[in-house]
Amino acid sequence: AFATGFEPSHAAIGPMAIVEASDGSILVSGGAARSHIYRFDENGGEVLQAWAEVNYPIFNLAFDAQGQLWATTGGGPVLQLDPETGNILNEFGDGLTFALAIETGSDLIFVSSNKGVEIFDPASQSFTHFSRDQDLRVGGLAFDSQGGLWATTWPGGQPVVKFNARPRVAPMGGCE
């Protein structure tokens, strides 16, 4: 195991989010309220003390090209966290759920919501609705090497979908 000793949440869920920092350290969220962030070196280890604790559960973590640290909260705002301390610098929006992906080149932040997928622009601090499918619930988002946005649906993670340029969901293996 890379890291051990995480206190499970009330739903018996262990660690949630994981991201590698530019210095090679690994940040992992977990704990009883899923609100602790632990920092490990490349060797991992035993959970001893949280690196940071916030007032929200942390479901996903990602760094943008400028080294800013972002987090989703499972139904609350998107958080901008201090990459040195883990403290909350800013909170944006509400009703944003699990998934988080940052588009290379633009640093636009794609997040899941109770309405599908939203785009957060950190420069203007504004949201734009992305997905047109009102019934789409997303548990994971990722960009491929060509800039295509993929998602795992929630609950269950199936099917995996790829968004086309319009933006409308195209089933995996389907036409764009």
Side-chain angles (χ1 to χ4, degrees), residues 19-23 61-70 80 83 100-109 120 122 143:
V19 69
E20 183 177 3
S22 62
D23 66 0
L61 291 164
F63 285 96
D64 65 18
Q66 283 75 45
Q68 298 178 98
L69 180 57
W70 299 92
Q80 180 185 13
L100 169 70
I102 300 177
E103 185 177 44
T104 302
S106 73
D107 272 346
L108 294 175
I109 301 170
F120 176 66
F143 285 96

Side-chain angles (χ1 to χ4, degrees), residues 46-67:
E46 178 76 20
V47 168
L48 300 174
Q49 184 174 358
W51 170 69
E53 182 178 1
V54 297
N55 295 330
Y56 296 97
I58 302 297
F59 282 78
N60 211 325
L61 291 164
F63 285 96
D64 65 18
Q66 283 75 45

Side-chain angles (χ1 to χ4, degrees), residues 74 95 116 132 140 154 175:
R132 295 187 330 193
W154 187 87
C175 301

Side-chain angles (χ1 to χ4, degrees), residues 43-171:
N43 298 313
E46 178 76 20
V47 168
L48 300 174
Q49 184 174 358
W51 170 69
E53 182 178 1
V54 297
N55 295 330
Y56 296 97
I58 302 297
F59 282 78
N60 211 325
L61 291 164
F63 285 96
D64 65 18
Q66 283 75 45
Q68 298 178 98
L69 180 57
W70 299 92
T72 54
T73 58
V78 168
L79 303 177
Q80 180 185 13
L81 303 175
D82 185 314
E84 299 300 320
T85 66
N87 293 332
I88 296 173
L89 298 175
N90 289 300
E91 301 178 23
F92 302 100
D94 194 27
L96 303 162
T97 56
F98 313 119
L100 169 70
I102 300 177
E103 185 177 44
T104 302
S106 73
D107 272 346
L108 294 175
I109 301 170
F110 289 68
V111 294
S112 60
S113 75
N114 53 13
K115 298 176 187 168
V117 178
E118 315 298 325
I119 303 170
F120 176 66
D121 181 348
S124 66
Q125 298 184 350
S126 63
F127 286 88
T128 305
H129 188 66
F130 178 72
S131 62
R132 295 187 330 193
D133 184 343
Q134 295 296 320
D135 296 322
L136 179 67
R137 296 188 71 193
V138 173
L141 288 168
F143 285 96
D144 63 26
S145 60
Q146 288 78 41
L149 182 61
W150 292 81
T152 56
T153 55
W154 187 87
Q158 292 187 23
V160 173
V161 296
K162 181 179 182 184
F163 292 94
N164 64 22
R166 289 185 51 204
R168 198 180 95 228
V169 172

